[in-house]
mmCIF file of all heavy atoms in Angstrom:
data_model
loop_
_atom_site.group_PDB
_atom_site.id
_atom_site.type_symbol
_atom_site.label_atom_id
_atom_site.label_comp_id
_atom_site.label_asym_id
_atom_site.label_seq_id
_atom_site.Cartn_x
_atom_site.Cartn_y
_atom_site.Cartn_z
ATOM 1 N N GLY D 110 127.481 197.808 69.838
ATOM 2 C CA GLY D 110 128.409 198.866 69.446
ATOM 3 C C GLY D 110 127.732 200.204 69.288
ATOM 4 O O GLY D 110 128.296 201.125 68.690
ATOM 5 N N SER D 111 126.530 200.312 69.850
ATOM 6 C CA SER D 111 125.759 201.560 69.783
ATOM 7 C C SER D 111 125.530 202.162 71.160
ATOM 8 O O SER D 111 125.091 203.312 71.268
ATOM 9 C CB SER D 111 124.396 201.293 69.136
ATOM 10 O OG SER D 111 123.671 200.337 69.914
ATOM 11 N N ASP D 112 125.803 201.395 72.205
ATOM 12 C CA ASP D 112 125.431 201.781 73.571
ATOM 13 C C ASP D 112 126.650 201.863 74.472
ATOM 14 O O ASP D 112 127.617 201.108 74.307
ATOM 15 C CB ASP D 112 124.456 200.755 74.146
ATOM 16 C CG ASP D 112 123.063 200.865 73.558
ATOM 17 O OD1 ASP D 112 122.943 200.970 72.320
ATOM 18 O OD2 ASP D 112 122.105 200.844 74.333
ATOM 19 N N LEU D 113 126.576 202.755 75.433
ATOM 20 C CA LEU D 113 127.658 202.883 76.399
ATOM 21 C C LEU D 113 127.137 203.462 77.706
ATOM 22 O O LEU D 113 126.086 204.103 77.739
ATOM 23 C CB LEU D 113 128.782 203.752 75.856
ATOM 24 C CG LEU D 113 128.587 205.260 75.718
ATOM 25 C CD1 LEU D 113 129.942 205.921 75.432
ATOM 26 C CD2 LEU D 113 127.624 205.628 74.587
ATOM 27 N N ASP D 114 127.863 203.191 78.768
ATOM 28 C CA ASP D 114 127.602 203.773 80.073
ATOM 29 C C ASP D 114 128.582 204.916 80.265
ATOM 30 O O ASP D 114 129.765 204.794 79.921
ATOM 31 C CB ASP D 114 127.794 202.743 81.190
ATOM 32 C CG ASP D 114 126.872 201.545 81.034
ATOM 33 O OD1 ASP D 114 125.779 201.698 80.464
ATOM 34 O OD2 ASP D 114 127.251 200.455 81.492
ATOM 35 N N ILE D 115 128.110 206.022 80.862
ATOM 36 C CA ILE D 115 128.949 207.221 80.944
ATOM 37 C C ILE D 115 129.071 207.711 82.383
ATOM 38 O O ILE D 115 128.266 207.376 83.249
ATOM 39 C CB ILE D 115 128.406 208.347 80.051
ATOM 40 C CG1 ILE D 115 126.955 208.693 80.401
ATOM 41 C CG2 ILE D 115 128.511 207.937 78.568
ATOM 42 C CD1 ILE D 115 126.777 209.698 81.516
ATOM 43 N N TYR D 116 130.108 208.532 82.598
ATOM 44 C CA TYR D 116 130.283 209.217 83.876
ATOM 45 C C TYR D 116 131.268 210.352 83.678
ATOM 46 O O TYR D 116 131.798 210.547 82.577
ATOM 47 C CB TYR D 116 130.770 208.249 84.953
ATOM 48 C CG TYR D 116 132.248 207.893 84.896
ATOM 49 C CD1 TYR D 116 133.083 208.152 85.976
ATOM 50 C CD2 TYR D 116 132.822 207.293 83.766
ATOM 51 C CE1 TYR D 116 134.435 207.824 85.943
ATOM 52 C CE2 TYR D 116 134.167 206.954 83.732
ATOM 53 C CZ TYR D 116 134.971 207.233 84.819
ATOM 54 O OH TYR D 116 136.301 206.908 84.778
ATOM 55 N N ASP D 117 131.519 211.123 84.752
ATOM 56 C CA ASP D 117 132.520 212.180 84.730
ATOM 57 C C ASP D 117 133.503 211.902 85.858
ATOM 58 O O ASP D 117 133.181 212.101 87.030
ATOM 59 C CB ASP D 117 131.861 213.545 84.928
ATOM 60 C CG ASP D 117 132.848 214.701 84.845
ATOM 61 O OD1 ASP D 117 134.060 214.466 85.052
ATOM 62 O OD2 ASP D 117 132.410 215.848 84.612
ATOM 63 N N PRO D 118 134.714 211.421 85.542
ATOM 64 C CA PRO D 118 135.669 211.094 86.601
ATOM 65 C C PRO D 118 136.049 212.285 87.460
ATOM 66 O O PRO D 118 136.434 212.113 88.623
ATOM 67 C CB PRO D 118 136.876 210.544 85.833
ATOM 68 C CG PRO D 118 136.725 211.071 84.442
ATOM 69 C CD PRO D 118 135.254 211.162 84.200
ATOM 70 N N ASP D 119 135.916 213.503 86.908
ATOM 71 C CA ASP D 119 136.270 214.693 87.688
ATOM 72 C C ASP D 119 135.239 214.993 88.768
ATOM 73 O O ASP D 119 135.538 215.734 89.719
ATOM 74 C CB ASP D 119 136.413 215.905 86.773
ATOM 75 C CG ASP D 119 137.560 215.757 85.782
ATOM 76 O OD1 ASP D 119 138.403 214.850 85.984
ATOM 77 O OD2 ASP D 119 137.604 216.534 84.809
ATOM 78 N N LEU D 120 134.034 214.447 88.635
ATOM 79 C CA LEU D 120 132.982 214.672 89.626
ATOM 80 C C LEU D 120 132.908 213.561 90.670
ATOM 81 O O LEU D 120 132.165 213.673 91.642
ATOM 82 C CB LEU D 120 131.623 214.799 88.928
ATOM 83 C CG LEU D 120 131.461 215.981 87.974
ATOM 84 C CD1 LEU D 120 130.093 215.946 87.306
ATOM 85 C CD2 LEU D 120 131.669 217.306 88.712
ATOM 86 N N LEU D 121 133.676 212.516 90.463
ATOM 87 C CA LEU D 121 133.683 211.403 91.404
ATOM 88 C C LEU D 121 134.570 211.794 92.591
ATOM 89 O O LEU D 121 135.742 212.108 92.410
ATOM 90 C CB LEU D 121 134.234 210.153 90.720
ATOM 91 C CG LEU D 121 134.076 208.822 91.442
ATOM 92 C CD1 LEU D 121 132.603 208.440 91.558
ATOM 93 C CD2 LEU D 121 134.849 207.724 90.713
ATOM 94 N N PRO D 122 134.028 211.798 93.805
ATOM 95 C CA PRO D 122 134.828 212.205 94.967
ATOM 96 C C PRO D 122 136.067 211.335 95.144
ATOM 97 O O PRO D 122 136.076 210.154 94.783
ATOM 98 C CB PRO D 122 133.858 212.012 96.144
ATOM 99 C CG PRO D 122 132.501 212.111 95.539
ATOM 100 C CD PRO D 122 132.634 211.501 94.172
ATOM 101 N N ALA D 123 137.104 211.932 95.689
ATOM 102 C CA ALA D 123 138.347 211.200 95.925
ATOM 103 C C ALA D 123 138.072 209.971 96.784
ATOM 104 O O ALA D 123 137.400 210.056 97.819
ATOM 105 C CB ALA D 123 139.365 212.104 96.613
ATOM 106 N N GLY D 124 138.580 208.834 96.345
ATOM 107 C CA GLY D 124 138.408 207.603 97.101
ATOM 108 C C GLY D 124 137.117 206.868 96.823
ATOM 109 O O GLY D 124 136.960 205.721 97.251
ATOM 110 N N ALA D 125 136.175 207.505 96.111
ATOM 111 C CA ALA D 125 134.893 206.866 95.802
ATOM 112 C C ALA D 125 135.036 205.990 94.563
ATOM 113 O O ALA D 125 135.764 206.327 93.630
ATOM 114 C CB ALA D 125 133.800 207.909 95.576
ATOM 115 N N LYS D 126 134.345 204.879 94.568
ATOM 116 C CA LYS D 126 134.359 203.966 93.434
ATOM 117 C C LYS D 126 133.064 204.118 92.643
ATOM 118 O O LYS D 126 131.974 204.170 93.226
ATOM 119 C CB LYS D 126 134.498 202.522 93.925
ATOM 120 C CG LYS D 126 134.544 201.496 92.807
ATOM 121 C CD LYS D 126 134.685 200.087 93.366
ATOM 122 C CE LYS D 126 134.709 199.053 92.244
ATOM 123 N NZ LYS D 126 134.835 197.669 92.781
ATOM 124 N N LEU D 127 133.179 204.211 91.332
ATOM 125 C CA LEU D 127 131.989 204.292 90.490
ATOM 126 C C LEU D 127 131.171 203.014 90.642
ATOM 127 O O LEU D 127 131.681 201.912 90.490
ATOM 128 C CB LEU D 127 132.396 204.479 89.031
ATOM 129 C CG LEU D 127 131.251 204.569 88.016
ATOM 130 C CD1 LEU D 127 130.427 205.828 88.247
ATOM 131 C CD2 LEU D 127 131.800 204.536 86.597
ATOM 132 N N ARG D 128 129.877 203.162 90.942
ATOM 133 C CA ARG D 128 129.025 202.006 91.191
ATOM 134 C C ARG D 128 127.929 201.834 90.131
ATOM 135 O O ARG D 128 127.289 200.798 90.073
ATOM 136 C CB ARG D 128 128.385 202.123 92.571
ATOM 137 C CG ARG D 128 129.418 202.206 93.695
ATOM 138 C CD ARG D 128 128.752 202.353 95.060
ATOM 139 N NE ARG D 128 127.962 201.180 95.374
ATOM 140 C CZ ARG D 128 128.457 200.085 95.944
ATOM 141 N NH1 ARG D 128 129.740 200.022 96.243
ATOM 142 N NH2 ARG D 128 127.680 199.062 96.218
ATOM 143 N N LEU D 129 127.714 202.866 89.309
ATOM 144 C CA LEU D 129 126.630 202.842 88.324
ATOM 145 C C LEU D 129 125.305 202.508 89.020
ATOM 146 O O LEU D 129 124.648 201.508 88.718
ATOM 147 C CB LEU D 129 126.928 201.848 87.195
ATOM 148 C CG LEU D 129 128.105 202.209 86.283
ATOM 149 C CD1 LEU D 129 128.294 201.150 85.202
ATOM 150 C CD2 LEU D 129 127.931 203.585 85.642
ATOM 151 N N GLU D 130 124.929 203.382 89.933
ATOM 152 C CA GLU D 130 123.666 203.276 90.656
ATOM 153 C C GLU D 130 122.900 204.584 90.475
ATOM 154 O O GLU D 130 123.509 205.655 90.374
ATOM 155 C CB GLU D 130 123.906 202.997 92.133
ATOM 156 C CG GLU D 130 124.543 201.634 92.384
ATOM 157 C CD GLU D 130 124.798 201.353 93.858
ATOM 158 O OE1 GLU D 130 124.678 202.295 94.672
ATOM 159 O OE2 GLU D 130 125.100 200.187 94.190
ATOM 160 N N PRO D 131 121.560 204.526 90.429
ATOM 161 C CA PRO D 131 120.771 205.736 90.156
ATOM 162 C C PRO D 131 121.081 206.914 91.061
ATOM 163 O O PRO D 131 121.100 208.065 90.598
ATOM 164 C CB PRO D 131 119.327 205.248 90.332
ATOM 165 C CG PRO D 131 119.377 203.804 89.971
ATOM 166 C CD PRO D 131 120.707 203.322 90.495
ATOM 167 N N GLN D 132 121.345 206.660 92.347
ATOM 168 C CA GLN D 132 121.563 207.771 93.266
ATOM 169 C C GLN D 132 122.805 208.589 92.931
ATOM 170 O O GLN D 132 122.923 209.744 93.328
ATOM 171 C CB GLN D 132 121.635 207.288 94.715
ATOM 172 C CG GLN D 132 122.714 206.257 95.012
ATOM 173 C CD GLN D 132 122.183 204.845 94.938
ATOM 174 O OE1 GLN D 132 121.259 204.553 94.163
ATOM 175 N NE2 GLN D 132 122.730 203.957 95.747
ATOM 176 N N GLU D 133 123.734 208.019 92.156
ATOM 177 C CA GLU D 133 124.904 208.778 91.726
ATOM 178 C C GLU D 133 124.542 209.813 90.658
ATOM 179 O O GLU D 133 125.223 210.840 90.527
ATOM 180 C CB GLU D 133 125.967 207.843 91.150
ATOM 181 C CG GLU D 133 126.562 206.858 92.129
ATOM 182 C CD GLU D 133 127.474 205.880 91.432
ATOM 183 O OE1 GLU D 133 126.997 205.130 90.552
ATOM 184 O OE2 GLU D 133 128.680 205.865 91.753
ATOM 185 N N TYR D 134 123.488 209.551 89.886
ATOM 186 C CA TYR D 134 123.155 210.352 88.704
ATOM 187 C C TYR D 134 121.946 211.253 88.882
ATOM 188 O O TYR D 134 121.757 212.199 88.105
ATOM 189 C CB TYR D 134 122.921 209.417 87.510
ATOM 190 C CG TYR D 134 124.183 208.744 87.044
ATOM 191 C CD1 TYR D 134 124.699 207.642 87.714
ATOM 192 C CD2 TYR D 134 124.879 209.230 85.949
ATOM 193 C CE1 TYR D 134 125.864 207.021 87.298
ATOM 194 C CE2 TYR D 134 126.055 208.617 85.525
ATOM 195 C CZ TYR D 134 126.546 207.519 86.204
ATOM 196 O OH TYR D 134 127.716 206.917 85.800
ATOM 197 N N LEU D 135 121.110 210.955 89.855
ATOM 198 C CA LEU D 135 119.888 211.725 90.046
ATOM 199 C C LEU D 135 120.121 212.863 91.039
ATOM 200 O O LEU D 135 121.240 213.085 91.491
ATOM 201 C CB LEU D 135 118.762 210.790 90.493
ATOM 202 C CG LEU D 135 118.491 209.624 89.521
ATOM 203 C CD1 LEU D 135 117.346 208.756 90.032
ATOM 204 C CD2 LEU D 135 118.208 210.135 88.110
ATOM 205 N N SER D 136 119.085 213.599 91.372
ATOM 206 C CA SER D 136 119.184 214.783 92.230
ATOM 207 C C SER D 136 119.968 214.482 93.506
ATOM 208 O O SER D 136 119.675 213.521 94.218
ATOM 209 C CB SER D 136 117.786 215.275 92.594
ATOM 210 O OG SER D 136 117.856 216.407 93.439
ATOM 211 N N GLY D 137 120.985 215.279 93.748
ATOM 212 C CA GLY D 137 121.816 215.097 94.928
ATOM 213 C C GLY D 137 123.013 214.213 94.706
ATOM 214 O O GLY D 137 123.875 214.101 95.586
ATOM 215 N N GLY D 138 123.109 213.557 93.556
ATOM 216 C CA GLY D 138 124.220 212.655 93.274
ATOM 217 C C GLY D 138 125.414 213.360 92.671
ATOM 218 O O GLY D 138 125.326 214.507 92.236
ATOM 219 N N TYR D 139 126.536 212.653 92.605
ATOM 220 C CA TYR D 139 127.760 213.225 92.062
ATOM 221 C C TYR D 139 127.572 213.765 90.650
ATOM 222 O O TYR D 139 128.146 214.795 90.283
ATOM 223 C CB TYR D 139 128.882 212.169 91.963
ATOM 224 C CG TYR D 139 129.115 211.281 93.138
ATOM 225 C CD1 TYR D 139 129.412 209.927 92.951
ATOM 226 C CD2 TYR D 139 129.072 211.766 94.447
ATOM 227 C CE1 TYR D 139 129.665 209.081 94.017
ATOM 228 C CE2 TYR D 139 129.312 210.927 95.526
ATOM 229 C CZ TYR D 139 129.600 209.579 95.304
ATOM 230 O OH TYR D 139 129.835 208.747 96.360
ATOM 231 N N PHE D 140 126.793 213.021 89.860
ATOM 232 C CA PHE D 140 126.692 213.317 88.431
ATOM 233 C C PHE D 140 125.353 213.968 88.052
ATOM 234 O O PHE D 140 124.981 213.972 86.882
ATOM 235 C CB PHE D 140 126.874 212.028 87.625
ATOM 236 C CG PHE D 140 128.092 211.242 88.006
ATOM 237 C CD1 PHE D 140 127.989 209.909 88.359
ATOM 238 C CD2 PHE D 140 129.350 211.828 88.021
ATOM 239 C CE1 PHE D 140 129.104 209.164 88.720
ATOM 240 C CE2 PHE D 140 130.483 211.101 88.384
ATOM 241 C CZ PHE D 140 130.357 209.759 88.742
ATOM 242 N N ALA D 141 124.661 214.523 89.031
ATOM 243 C CA ALA D 141 123.337 215.099 88.755
ATOM 244 C C ALA D 141 123.418 216.227 87.732
ATOM 245 O O ALA D 141 122.563 216.341 86.843
ATOM 246 C CB ALA D 141 122.699 215.598 90.051
ATOM 247 N N ALA D 142 124.440 217.070 87.826
ATOM 248 C CA ALA D 142 124.564 218.182 86.880
ATOM 249 C C ALA D 142 124.838 217.662 85.472
ATOM 250 O O ALA D 142 124.315 218.193 84.482
ATOM 251 C CB ALA D 142 125.683 219.123 87.325
ATOM 252 N N LEU D 143 125.644 216.610 85.369
ATOM 253 C CA LEU D 143 125.901 216.005 84.063
ATOM 254 C C LEU D 143 124.624 215.396 83.500
ATOM 255 O O LEU D 143 124.331 215.543 82.303
ATOM 256 C CB LEU D 143 126.972 214.925 84.195
ATOM 257 C CG LEU D 143 127.279 214.104 82.937
ATOM 258 C CD1 LEU D 143 127.788 214.992 81.811
ATOM 259 C CD2 LEU D 143 128.274 212.994 83.250
ATOM 260 N N THR D 144 123.853 214.723 84.340
ATOM 261 C CA THR D 144 122.578 214.148 83.901
ATOM 262 C C THR D 144 121.670 215.228 83.344
ATOM 263 O O THR D 144 121.056 215.057 82.278
ATOM 264 C CB THR D 144 121.889 213.429 85.069
ATOM 265 O OG1 THR D 144 122.721 212.350 85.517
ATOM 266 C CG2 THR D 144 120.539 212.866 84.647
ATOM 267 N N ALA D 145 121.580 216.354 84.062
ATOM 268 C CA ALA D 145 120.713 217.450 83.628
ATOM 269 C C ALA D 145 121.189 218.024 82.299
ATOM 270 O O ALA D 145 120.370 218.325 81.407
ATOM 271 C CB ALA D 145 120.666 218.535 84.698
ATOM 272 N N TRP D 146 122.499 218.159 82.133
ATOM 273 C CA TRP D 146 123.014 218.686 80.871
ATOM 274 C C TRP D 146 122.717 217.720 79.724
ATOM 275 O O TRP D 146 122.290 218.142 78.628
ATOM 276 C CB TRP D 146 124.524 218.932 80.984
ATOM 277 C CG TRP D 146 125.086 219.572 79.748
ATOM 278 C CD1 TRP D 146 125.101 220.903 79.449
ATOM 279 C CD2 TRP D 146 125.652 218.896 78.615
ATOM 280 N NE1 TRP D 146 125.650 221.096 78.200
ATOM 281 C CE2 TRP D 146 126.002 219.884 77.670
ATOM 282 C CE3 TRP D 146 125.904 217.548 78.328
ATOM 283 C CZ2 TRP D 146 126.590 219.570 76.452
ATOM 284 C CZ3 TRP D 146 126.487 217.238 77.109
ATOM 285 C CH2 TRP D 146 126.833 218.237 76.196
#
Side-chain angles (χ1 to χ4, degrees):
S111 60
D112 286 46
L113 72 168
D114 300 331
I115 56 86
Y116 78 121
D117 183 338
D119 296 346
L120 297 177
L121 192 66
K126 181 180 179 181
L127 179 66
R128 301 179 64 86
L129 293 180
E130 294 179 349
Q132 58 265 31
E133 295 173 299
Y134 291 79
L135 303 181
S136 179
Y139 314 140
F140 309 126
L143 175 61
T144 298
W146 184 84

